Amino acid sequence: MTGFKINKRAIEKMQRDIAKEFERAARKHPIRVPVQVDAPEIPSASPANAGIEKDPHLSRLLVWLDDLAALQPGTAADVSSYVDSEGLPASEAKTMALQLEQQGLVRISRDMSGCDSQVFLTDEGTLSARQLRALQADSVARFVHACDALLYWLFQTGRGREAVEVMAFVEAPGSYFAGDSLSVDEILGALEHLAQRGLVRRASEEPSATSSIKAEVTESGTDCVLSGGTVSDYLSRQQRAGDTYNFNNSSGIVAGSQESVVQNNNFGFDASALAEFATLVRQFAPTLGASPDQQEALIQDVEVLEEATSAEQPEPGRIRTAYLRVQEALGAITATTAGLTLLAQQGQDAYQAVFGG
């Protein structure tokens, strides 16, 4: 079974060099979103009940306002200054101020001057800005966003039927999360994850100096996009709906009023969802804010779950016990992070996929 761990060795050195050039170029020249574009872009907010962290400009604006409030307490900030620095249309200043006010994050200073882009950060806005900074450092949350945003962007840019240059994604709004840009490694990791799960297909590449990374969305990937949910939600539903049992050496189906019929069946127990969960926990364990002892105990419990799920004949009882130990180890971590919450939810989804609701 293919695990969650990204095999970066599969990515050629030449491709990585090209990707690094994209990253350096993107950081040197910040993203400027034109008013009109030829190719469709991913919406600033994902269809799946996205928060402000999915909006590339509102999230960056809120962090900018928080920084300004720390330097100049009690002073109104002009959103127009941010809009000018980002190369956005001047009319966006009023719109963005209204959007933040509607969410209770700022209060617009409406005075006799008629200026409607002067704002004061509210307490809710300050807390939200701090949460955005925490999300910027949360590798699990960043990876979840990278998978969702990259798949939507590939579908929209390729119109669901054309191969797309993957690294052009660095210029799309979706390449930002919580106001911070995704790295090239995060984008390539998301691509590998989507490809391993059959949602995208990497196009064949010519071994030349001008080769690049191209991918197209598969039929399953299209279904995921059209479902309106996240990649994780879609894969979880597929696992629950796709659980199969293999009947070997069966003597046939009992029908009618037959008596004393012996039927021997060997059921294939699919524990792959929990195996992937174990691999996910192992990969992100160092980022959860656990103490060294807690991290060591968590890894030991993960190893037990990995061993139980990879057995030639998995034992449901043993897998349940191992899974509960991993969840207990996660629950013992006192640091509160979005990554820890996501891992706990991923574990519950995987458990339901294997054992049912």
Side-chain angles (χ1 to χ4, degrees), residues 202-219:
R202 288 182 62 163
S204 58
E205 300 157 1
E206 295 293 334
S208 66
T210 58
S211 64
S212 58
I213 306 171
K214 292 186 177 182
E216 58 185 345
V217 179
T218 64
E219 291 184 1

Side-chain angles (χ1 to χ4, degrees), residues 25-272:
R27 289 180 174 176
K28 185 177 180 181
H29 303 286
I31 293 174
R32 299 290 186 264
V33 181
V35 180
Q36 294 181 346
V37 293
D38 295 329
E41 294 183 342
I42 185 170
S44 59
S46 170
N49 298 321
I52 191 175
E53 69 274 5
K54 302 282 184 163
D55 190 300
H57 284 299
L58 283 183
S59 56
R60 294 176 67 188
L61 170 59
L62 189 61
V63 173
W64 181 82
L65 289 172
D66 186 55
D67 289 338
L68 203 59
L71 295 173
Q72 302 174 358
T75 303
D78 193 347
V79 178
S80 297
S81 299
Y82 171 83
V83 168
D84 290 341
S85 67
E86 293 296 309
L88 299 173
S91 59
E92 287 297 303
K94 177 181 179 180
T95 301
M96 296 175 74
L98 287 172
Q99 286 178 309
L100 291 181
E101 185 180 55
Q102 187 177 35
Q103 298 180 47
L105 304 178
V106 302
R107 175 174 56 83
I108 297 178
S109 175
R110 294 178 171 86
D111 53 26
M112 298 301 293
S113 65
C115 180
D116 48 17
S117 61
Q118 298 278 345
V119 301
F120 290 96
L121 197 64
T122 64
D123 290 341
E124 291 81 359
T126 300
L127 291 175
S128 183
R130 306 292 164 80
Q131 291 170 353
L132 287 174
R133 287 192 173 91
L135 285 174
Q136 289 178 0
D138 193 319
S139 56
V140 177
R142 292 173 68 94
F143 188 81
V144 170
H145 168 77
C147 291
D148 291 339
L150 180 59
L151 180 62
Y152 276 87
W153 178 82
L154 286 172
F155 177 80
Q156 292 186 325
T157 305
R159 297 172 176 84
R161 59 182 181 274
E162 300 173 3
V164 178
E165 173 60 57
V166 174
M167 293 316 302
F169 178 61
V170 299
E171 299 181 2
S175 66
Y176 273 73
F177 177 65
D180 187 43
S181 61
L182 297 173
S183 69
V184 168
D185 284 342
E186 287 174 316
I187 295 172
L188 294 179
L191 175 66
E192 191 71 13
H193 182 69
L194 295 172
Q196 288 177 352
R197 280 139 188 85
L199 300 180
V200 302
R201 181 186 307 108
R202 288 182 62 163
S204 58
E205 300 157 1
E206 295 293 334
S208 66
T210 58
S211 64
S212 58
I213 306 171
K214 292 186 177 182
E216 58 185 345
V217 179
T218 64
E219 291 184 1
S220 293
T222 298
D223 290 340
C224 177
V225 172
L226 297 180
S227 72
T230 65
V231 169
S232 178
D233 290 340
Y234 177 79
L235 293 176
S236 296
R237 287 196 298 270
Q238 293 301 106
Q239 289 172 341
R240 287 194 290 269
D243 289 343
T244 57
Y245 294 97
N246 301 317
F247 295 84
N248 301 317
N249 304 321
S250 175
S251 61
I253 299 175
V254 179
S257 57
Q258 297 173 344
E259 297 179 0
S260 302
V261 177
V262 178
Q263 181 169 330
N264 298 317
N265 299 317
N266 295 324
F267 292 89
F269 181 74
D270 183 8
S272 60

Side-chain angles (χ1 to χ4, degrees), residues 289-291 294 297-298 301 325-335 340:
S291 67
Q294 288 176 324
L298 176 60
D301 291 334
R325 287 181 63 87
V326 172
Q327 286 288 37
E328 289 176 1
L330 290 173
I333 299 175
T334 56
L340 186 62

